[in-house]
Amino acid sequence: MINLFLRLSLLVALFSVAALVRPVSAGEADDCLRNKMLEGYAQGWSVRTSTSASLKEGESRVYSVTLYKGAEYQIFACADAQAVDVRLVLHDADGQVLLNEDAVDRQPVLTYTAPATATYYVAVHAADTVSDEAKAAIGMAVTWRQSP
Amino acid sequence: MRLTLQLVLLAALTACDAPPPEAPPAPTPPPVVEEKAPVGPLSVGELAAAEPVALVPSPLEMQAALKRSGLLGPQGLLVKPRPLKAAGEDHDRLAVRTGVALADLLLIVQTAQTPELVGLLKEIRAGLVALGAKDDALSALDELTAQVQNEALTRDSLVQELDALSGGTLPELEAQLGPRAVPLIRAGSWLEGANLVSSSIIAGGNYDTATDLLRHPGVVAWFQRYVEETPAGRPDQEQLVPILRESLKSLATATAAERLGEAEVRQIHQSTAAVLDLL
């Protein structure tokens, strides 16, 4: 009975109105994200939330995240095949770059333990897509666990 | 015979048009890896202009932070039963209330008796039905409720299921529930969590921990944006929205302080209670 709700969310994605208007390949990003969340449970991660965006090359989406001092966070993204390279960047409240995932891939991951409870910002960049017109579906999740 | 001759001629002509045999392929050059442009800092103005979506801490995360601070007893957070007022057709109120029930369920799942858990699951279901959730979402909730009733799940498994509901499935329900409902469900969960955490700090008199537990300015700013977008003139919202607006204004000040002390914690407790009492 591993995560009835994550399995259910596949159904919701398939049958919801959103599925009709989102890119056909959005399911690929969603499935990847769901699998990563399931795998995370086995390693003691809990899910804060997940979200998604549809971005063209060069576009970004910024999220604000309040991170707790002493907890370990893993922030990961999954993009569909329209994306070639997706970057995740963690900024502090002043906009300074704290972490920058710079591998060329579609599934970037950041791991961070916050030194203080504060607001941070995660920017998801569609750094490269298969063409100028392509819109990549990118899912992102924030997971957390007690620091070892 | 004539046909055969034509076919032979055609074959000969086709053969003349055929390309010469290909030369052996040249060795493939190694793929060119493009240099990435460095990612620079963003100014505070750029961050604000990006209108960031807030990813709000979950009730379990708030509880874990409280535990790290040594303020959580073995019985967990003391969630009080909350007599609910009729919500009528007010979807905003229903959404906030559903979020409160979800937070309560997550926070008591390890310690509560089965009927209490089933009661909260039914409340969440009723909230989701009224907000427009479809059968596929509800059937999974029904399946889970049946398993809780039959005690077919360990509490650890149930925590995981509810965590997946809150963190993984709820955001995907936005298409069914509309753009306001999911953030307001989150607001309800956060308000309940902040209210319980501030209660624990006040009860323990340990205000030194407050900054680590309740300094959440980005969260409150995000909820304020939603409340400010509430269409004016809906009579069913006359009571909730002004109080929510005032409470969030007060919470914005208290949760943004560089260091939170007793005054801020009491302000957070009072402001969250003012909204929760309306539900």
Side-chain angles (χ1 to χ4, degrees):
Chain A
M1 166 71 190
I2 290 290
N3 288 305
L4 177 66
F5 283 102
L6 286 178
R7 284 187 280 115
L8 157 79
S9 57
L10 177 64
L11 280 175
V12 173
L14 282 173
F15 293 107
S16 67
V17 178
L20 300 177
V21 296
R22 294 171 76 186
V24 175
S25 54
E28 184 187 344
D30 292 343
D31 290 349
C32 162
L33 202 69
R34 217 170 278 121
N35 288 335
K36 282 182 184 283
M37 286 193 276
L38 283 172
E39 287 164 12
Y41 279 122
Q43 295 159 23
W45 296 100
S46 294
V47 179
R48 172 187 286 194
T49 195
S50 58
T51 184
S52 62
S54 187
L55 301 176
K56 289 172 97 170
E57 186 173 310
E59 289 182 336
S60 303
R61 177 69 57 88
V62 179
Y63 300 92
S64 79
V65 287
T66 297
L67 303 183
Y68 279 106
K69 178 185 175 181
E72 187 181 10
Y73 290 90
Q74 195 168 69
I75 301 162
F76 52 82
C78 280
D80 67 6
Q82 296 298 301
V84 174
D85 182 22
V86 175
R87 292 189 208 178
L88 279 180
V89 186
L90 182 69
H91 299 266
D92 66 14
D94 298 323
Q96 295 302 313
V97 176
L98 299 174
L99 288 175
N100 177 15
E101 206 281 8
D102 58 3
V104 178
D105 62 12
R106 293 192 277 138
Q107 297 179 16
V109 182
L110 296 177
T111 304
Y112 188 67
T113 302
T117 300
T119 300
Y120 297 81
Y121 295 91
V122 179
V124 181
H125 297 278
D128 191 9
T129 55
V130 290
S131 69
D132 288 348
E133 295 75 32
K135 251 191 162 177
I138 306 172
M140 192 196 78
V142 178
T143 61
W144 64 277
R145 68 181 178 188
Q146 298 280 22
S147 280
Chain B
M1 181 67 184
R2 197 168 161 191
L3 179 65
T4 309
L5 199 62
Q6 280 174 340
L7 282 174
V8 169
L9 188 60
L10 188 64
L13 284 171
T14 310
C16 289
D17 283 347
E22 285 183 14
T28 314
V32 178
V33 179
E34 285 181 31
E35 286 280 317
K36 287 193 164 196
V39 173
L42 292 170
S43 69
V44 175
E46 283 171 317
L47 287 173
E51 297 196 334
V53 174
L55 305 178
V56 180
S58 72
L60 283 179
E61 214 177 331
M62 295 170 94
Q63 188 181 43
L66 199 62
K67 195 174 178 183
R68 279 196 300 277
S69 300
L71 288 178
L72 190 70
Q75 76 283 12
L77 280 169
L78 295 175
V79 175
K80 294 178 198 154
R82 198 177 292 282
L84 298 171
K85 299 178 175 69
E89 295 299 310
D90 182 349
H91 277 201
D92 285 356
R93 184 184 303 228
L94 276 166
V96 176
R97 205 164 85 176
T98 302
V100 173
L102 183 57
D104 287 347
L105 183 59
L106 280 160
L107 295 172
I108 66 170
V109 65
Q110 293 283 13
T111 52
Q113 300 293 313
T114 299
E116 207 176 344
L117 298 180
V118 171
L120 283 168
L121 279 163
K122 286 184 176 169
E123 197 181 311
I124 293 165
R125 187 189 197 281
L128 292 176
V129 168
L131 290 168
K134 302 277 191 297
D135 287 346
D136 48 3
L138 299 172
S139 63
L141 201 55
D142 292 341
E143 194 183 325
L144 185 68
T145 306
Q147 285 175 319
V148 172
Q149 266 170 332
N150 300 330
E151 304 197 346
L153 280 176
T154 65
R155 292 298 170 99
D156 284 345
S157 301
L158 185 55
V159 170
Q160 204 170 304
E161 290 295 341
L162 294 172
D163 187 68
L165 165 67
S166 167
T169 306
L170 188 61
E172 293 191 6
L173 288 179
E174 190 170 304
Q176 294 183 11
L177 308 185
R180 285 177 68 82
V182 173
L184 287 172
I185 291 172
R186 291 250 178 266
S189 290
W190 183 86
L191 285 166
E192 177 72 334
N195 183 260
L196 292 167
V197 168
S198 57
S199 283
S200 295
I201 296 172
I202 292 168
N206 191 349
Y207 296 99
D208 291 344
T209 59
T211 306
D212 289 341
L213 295 172
L214 289 170
R215 193 165 181 271
H216 295 177
V219 173
V220 177
W222 166 244
F223 293 145
Q224 276 181 306
R225 259 168 53 191
Y226 265 86
V227 172
E228 293 308 322
E229 286 168 6
T230 303
R234 276 174 53 183
D236 54 1
Q237 294 177 326
E238 276 173 7
Q239 199 185 8
L240 179 66
V241 170
I243 292 179
L244 193 54
R245 192 174 284 139
E246 278 308 303
S247 296
L248 288 175
K249 207 166 138 188
S250 162
L251 284 168
T253 311
T255 59
E258 200 58 40
R259 275 208 72 75
L260 277 70
E262 180 173 355
E264 285 78 19
V265 175
R266 288 193 181 276
Q267 197 176 344
I268 290 169
H269 190 252
Q270 198 180 343
S271 300
T272 50
V275 179
L276 295 168
D277 286 348
L278 281 177
L279 305 173

